Amino acid sequence: MNTKILFRSSILFFFCMISIQAQEVLTIEEAMKIALENNFEIKIAKNNTKISETNVTIGNAGMLPTATASVVDNNSITNSTQVRQDGTSTSLDNAKNNNLTYGVSLGWTVFDGMRMFARLDQLKELQKLGDTELKRTILMKIGQVNSAYYDLVQQQQQLAALDTSIVISKQRLDLAKNRFTIGKASKLEVLNAQVDLNTDMVALLRQKESYANSKILLNQHLARDPKINFTVTDEVTVDNKLLFADLLDQAQKQNPALELQIINKRIAELELKQIKADRYPVLNLTSGYNFTESQSSLGFTSENSSRGFTYGFNASLNIFDGFNQNRNEKVAKLQIENSKIAIEQQNMILNTQLSTAFQTYLTNLELIELEDSNESIAKQNLEITLDKFRIGTITTLEFRTAQLNYVNAKVRHSNAEYQAKLSEIALKELAGNISF
């Protein structure tokens, strides 16, 4: 009987493999590559990074001069009357007057209390902030892709376990019918076998539904058509060599959430520098070249024109502003203090998350070994039960119990591997070292 069951399982597995080969076999490496190229949130984060990079210029920091070209043309038509000192007067209706001025002016702030240098450094820190935000987004999305992918692997393994259960249940139904035909079993045994087979088929249909929905979810993470059909690899490989000390050291150096807080502290310090710059004088150089032309229908001069170079400077110093300078500096210092507290808080959160995740990881590794042993024992028990059931020395209830124990053991083993993989992904995400 065992030979027949194995033969039928092999045939079922063969046809399943033919169906799978007709689909795209998606590896985890390919899934991560697609996510990096297509995921909408990653695309937005990349564009934000480009914006931050574009803003890092000395012109944006205020270090370069500004040149402005201008044209002003004023015209008027008036009724004018002029009375001279000797008492004579002149009048003209609809007198036309025109004044045209055009030229180029140049302005350059040569000293502003070093504000422009602090501003440039702040722009560079904002670029780092954008890079770190991109890194955090990528790590988070890659972690989601990994979790969704290995969830599919686990469900695919459960489908295989349920397929095996159906093969066994069909074989049991055939045996029950044969026994009933020759008078060695009652109709009740046939009905019970049919009910159990139907129960297994319902479980298989539910699992297929869950598997299909999980595929749609993974396609969503990959930002592609949810109708794309594919299959995944059938193994979950868990890295069981992770060490807490190494993970903690990596997290202190490259965890994105912690990096963001450190960068925010630097930005707050540079903001204080810019505020302190208001205590120093501001010196601006100005120059220009202007053309002026004017025409008047009434008056001593009918036309006038001039052109020439202008230059100069202006300097200003804030002497008193209602104590706002002191207030602004105090607020900036408090912002720096808050950023220091945020770094300490993030460190504590990170250590807590790592500690709990690592403990879960160790537990899941032990569960893998235990469930692997349970599956082996359940398999041996099912084989013995099959032999006894064939010769009629055990009840159908005992047979069904052994069958369910085997299926449940396979499912638990698959789930233990999946949970361990999730723990591994969580630890690497916290440490900032997920490979992609």
Side-chain angles (χ1 to χ4, degrees):
M1 178 177 175
N2 288 344
T3 303
K4 292 181 179 179
I5 292 176
L6 290 174
F7 177 71
R8 292 192 178 188
S9 299
S10 299
I11 293 177
L12 181 61
F13 179 75
F14 174 74
F15 284 109
C16 288
M17 289 303 298
I18 292 176
S19 175
I20 288 173
Q21 288 173 1
Q23 304 174 18
E24 171 196 358
V25 179
L26 182 69
T27 66
I28 184 60
E29 292 79 13
E30 291 170 343
M32 289 190 290
K33 180 181 178 181
I34 294 172
L36 289 173
E37 293 174 352
N38 295 349
N39 186 269
F40 298 115
E41 294 181 47
I42 292 178
K43 285 183 177 180
I44 293 173
K46 286 180 178 179
N47 286 336
N48 289 335
T49 300
K50 292 178 181 178
I51 291 172
S52 300
E53 181 181 354
T54 304
N55 282 332
V56 182
T57 63
I58 57 176
N60 194 21
M63 294 182 175
L64 297 179
T66 58
T68 305
S70 61
V71 177
V72 179
D73 186 13
N74 291 319
N75 299 277
S76 64
I77 299 176
T78 60
N79 297 328
S80 301
T81 300
Q82 292 183 352
V83 179
R84 302 184 181 89
Q85 292 291 334
D86 59 2
T88 61
S89 63
T90 302
S91 297
L92 180 63
D93 292 337
N94 298 322
K96 295 181 179 181
N97 299 289
N98 173 263
N99 193 315
L100 176 64
T101 302
Y102 57 95
V104 177
S105 62
L106 182 69
W108 191 8
T109 301
V110 294
F111 183 76
D112 63 352
M114 310 303 287
R115 178 197 298 271
M116 63 183 73
F117 296 98
R119 173 61 180 166
L120 181 61
D121 290 339
Q122 189 180 56
L123 290 172
K124 293 178 180 178
E125 293 299 322
L126 289 172
Q127 180 184 356
K128 293 180 182 178
L129 192 69
D131 292 340
T132 306
E133 286 284 3
L134 173 60
K135 177 183 176 183
R136 183 171 69 168
T137 301
I138 289 176
L139 285 173
M140 180 179 66
K141 291 304 169 184
I142 291 300
Q144 290 177 354
V145 168
N146 273 268
S147 299
Y149 183 89
Y150 287 108
D151 180 39
L152 273 176
V153 175
Q154 174 209 204
Q155 294 195 43
Q156 193 166 273
Q157 292 173 343
Q158 292 183 12
L159 279 174
L162 291 172
D163 284 336
T164 302
S165 179
I166 287 178
V167 171
I168 296 173
S169 294
K170 286 181 178 179
Q171 183 67 31
R172 173 191 166 195
L173 179 60
D174 291 340
L175 287 173
K177 288 179 178 179
N178 292 335
R179 288 181 179 181
F180 176 73
T181 302
I182 62 177
K184 288 188 176 181
S186 65
K187 184 66 174 179
L188 182 61
E189 183 176 333
V190 176
L191 294 175
N192 285 333
Q194 185 65 61
V195 168
D196 288 339
L197 175 59
N198 291 343
T199 301
D200 291 342
M201 294 181 69
V202 169
L204 180 63
L205 287 175
R206 290 296 186 190
Q207 183 58 39
K208 285 183 177 180
E209 176 191 8
S210 178
Y211 183 64
N213 289 335
S214 297
K215 279 187 179 181
I216 294 173
L217 179 60
L218 181 56
N219 278 329
Q220 177 186 340
H221 288 312
L222 303 183
R224 63 180 190 174
D225 189 346
K227 296 179 181 178
I228 293 178
N229 199 8
F230 62 94
T231 186
V232 294
T233 56
D234 57 356
E235 292 184 0
V236 177
T237 303
V238 181
D239 184 358
N240 58 1
K241 305 295 184 182
L242 299 180
L243 299 176
F244 181 78
D246 294 341
L247 292 169
L248 182 59
D249 182 63
Q250 292 169 358
Q252 295 290 339
K253 296 177 181 177
Q254 56 193 26
N255 178 266
L258 183 58
E259 286 182 358
L260 287 174
Q261 297 300 339
I262 294 173
I263 294 173
N264 282 329
K265 174 178 174 291
R266 177 61 178 159
I267 291 174
E269 292 171 346
L270 292 169
E271 185 66 26
L272 176 60
K273 281 189 175 182
Q274 294 181 68
I275 292 174
K276 285 185 174 181
D278 289 335
R279 292 187 177 275
Y280 296 90
V282 177
L283 177 62
N284 295 304
L285 299 181
T286 59
S287 65
Y289 197 87
N290 296 312
F291 299 82
T292 302
E293 296 180 1
S294 61
Q295 296 179 349
S296 178
S297 299
L298 185 66
F300 293 102
T301 304
S302 61
E303 293 185 7
N304 182 37
S305 64
S306 64
R307 65 186 62 188
F309 179 72
T310 61
Y311 59 92
F313 75 92
N314 64 73
S316 62
L317 177 63
N318 177 25
I319 298 177
F320 180 73
D321 63 352
F323 302 108
N324 285 325
Q325 179 66 29
N326 292 336
R327 177 182 59 80
N328 291 336
E329 289 183 11
K330 287 180 181 179
V331 170
K333 290 177 180 178
L334 289 173
Q335 294 289 0
I336 294 174
E337 185 63 28
N338 282 343
S339 64
K340 292 179 180 178
I341 296 173
I343 291 174
E344 294 177 1
Q345 181 186 32
Q346 189 59 46
N347 262 317
M348 180 176 293
I349 293 173
L350 183 58
N351 288 338
T352 302
Q353 290 176 333
L354 268 176
S355 298
T356 55
F358 191 77
Q359 184 58 53
T360 302
Y361 166 76
L362 293 178
T363 301
N364 287 330
L365 289 181
E366 293 181 7
L367 286 174
I368 290 177
E369 295 182 4
L370 180 59
E371 295 298 350
D372 182 54
S373 175
N374 285 339
E375 181 182 346
S376 178
I377 294 172
K379 183 178 180 181
Q380 294 177 26
N381 182 54
L382 178 61
E383 291 173 351
I384 295 173
T385 304
L386 286 172
D387 291 334
K388 289 185 177 181
F389 183 74
R390 180 174 59 85
I391 60 178
T393 59
I394 63 171
T395 64
T396 56
L397 179 60
E398 291 174 311
F399 176 84
R400 182 63 174 173
T401 300
Q403 179 187 4
L404 292 178
N405 284 342
Y406 175 64
V407 173
N408 291 335
K410 285 182 68 68
V411 170
R412 288 198 309 272
H413 185 205
S414 173
N415 185 63
E417 289 181 330
Y418 172 61
Q419 293 298 327
K421 191 65 180 179
L422 289 184
S423 300
E424 175 199 330
I425 294 169
L427 286 170
K428 290 184 176 180
E429 185 176 343
L430 287 171
N433 66 347
I434 293 182
S435 299
F436 53 86

